[in-house]
Amino acid sequence: GAGVSQSPSNKVTEKGKDVELRCDPISGHTALYWYRQRLGQGLEFLIYFQGNSAPDKSGLPSDRFSAERTGESVSTLTIQRTQQEDSAVYLCASSIDRGGANEQFFGPGTRLTVL
Amino acid sequence: DAKTTQPTSMDCAEGRAANLPCNHSTISGNEYVYWYRQIHSQGPQYIIHGLKNNETNEMASLIITEDRKSSTLILPHATLRDTAVYYCIVRARGSQGNLIFGKGTKLSVKP
């Protein structure tokens, strides 16, 4: 079946511009996660959505970052007034999160380059 | 979630078994051992998980010691495409929220 998809795969933008990154989770997965991975670094958690609960935003690095999710479907991560340090691969993952093994399935990521 | 310790890097010859160790000496009774890997320029990929019994799937085998303080991920016949960073994560079954990835082990499979 279809996995997690993300778009665009690559995004180059100028400093100060806003960007929107999209994630389509696996159908039926109630939980959705955004992570960031800078070049040569590990994964940093950004935000977590679970069903209709309030999202866990504890990983968002600044108020320039926000994310929305429509029900248990698509999510959009928005970065306003981008800075060069925002350059990274942004990874989305989804999982069933219903008390089971909860393995997370990751998308291919969006590579963001801020010039 | 309990802390894990993995070697920074390992090499393996193509076609041989790759054995990747992980120490998790503070693991608690309800915590599972999960393995993920990240191939260069791709998102992480779930491999396998287990509680206390050895587990096997189409990708790998997981051997957990009797005291559960350590485990080994085994790729029985490593290929060049198995070159990746392998992450061992300890997590309670049913727990929600983000995964915490450490530095993992960089496995290089060489011809």
Side-chain angles (χ1 to χ4, degrees):
Chain A
V4 177
S5 60
Q6 293 185 244
S7 61
S9 55
N10 282 285
K11 176 72 176 178
V12 179
T13 190
E14 294 179 348
K15 178 181 174 181
K17 301 281 190 182
D18 298 351
V19 295
E20 284 190 353
L21 312 180
R22 177 187 170 106
C23 172
D24 286 89
I26 293 172
S27 177
H29 281 193
T30 58
L32 186 147
Y33 311 78
W34 284 97
Y35 296 84
R36 176 172 72 176
Q37 188 170 32
R38 291 191 168 114
L39 184 64
Q41 303 297 311
L43 274 78
E44 300 173 70
F45 164 70
L46 296 177
I47 188 169
Y48 158 57
F49 295 91
Q50 166 60 316
N52 295 320
S53 302
D56 176 357
K57 303 180 182 180
S58 60
L60 294 178
S62 78
D63 59 7
R64 296 187 295 106
F65 288 72
S66 63
E68 293 184 350
R69 187 180 186 193
T70 307
E72 294 186 352
S73 182
V74 65
S75 175
T76 302
L77 177 70
T78 301
I79 309 173
Q80 296 178 310
R81 306 181 302 282
T82 53
Q83 304 293 314
Q84 288 183 330
E85 65 260 28
D86 299 335
S87 295
V89 175
Y90 289 82
L91 291 157
C92 175
S94 70
S95 69
I96 293 177
D97 250 18
R98 286 178 186 154
N102 300 341
E103 54 263 37
Q104 295 184 15
F105 296 86
F106 284 79
T110 294
R111 182 175 299 277
L112 175 67
T113 303
V114 182
L115 301 177
Chain B
D1 297 338
K3 180 179 171 57
T4 62
T5 304
Q6 298 178 252
T8 303
S9 64
M10 293 182 65
D11 290 343
C12 177
E14 187 179 20
R16 304 297 292 269
N19 297 284
L20 294 104
C22 180
N23 287 324
H24 31 79
S25 58
T26 60
I27 193 170
S28 60
N30 69 336
E31 289 182 315
Y32 284 65
V33 181
Y34 290 81
W35 283 84
Y36 284 75
R37 74 179 181 183
Q38 187 173 24
I39 295 170
H40 183 62
S41 297
Q42 297 183 22
Q45 177 189 25
Y46 165 80
I47 301 173
I48 198 168
H49 74 280
L51 181 63
K52 53 183 178 181
N53 297 322
N54 298 338
E55 302 288 342
T56 296
N57 64 20
E58 65 278 6
M59 290 183 67
S61 295
L62 175 60
I63 308 298
I64 302 174
T65 57
E66 192 169 344
D67 63 7
R68 303 210 319 122
K69 293 185 177 183
S70 65
S71 60
T72 301
L73 179 75
I74 301 173
L75 308 178
H77 306 287
T79 71
L80 299 178
R81 288 176 294 181
D82 292 321
T83 292
V85 178
Y86 287 77
Y87 298 97
C88 170
I89 299 170
V90 171
R91 183 175 171 88
R93 183 178 176 91
S95 66
Q96 300 178 357
N98 59 293
L99 292 170
I100 300 174
F101 288 83
K103 296 187 184 301
T105 296
K106 175 73 165 76
L107 175 69
S108 298
V109 181
K110 305 195 172 181

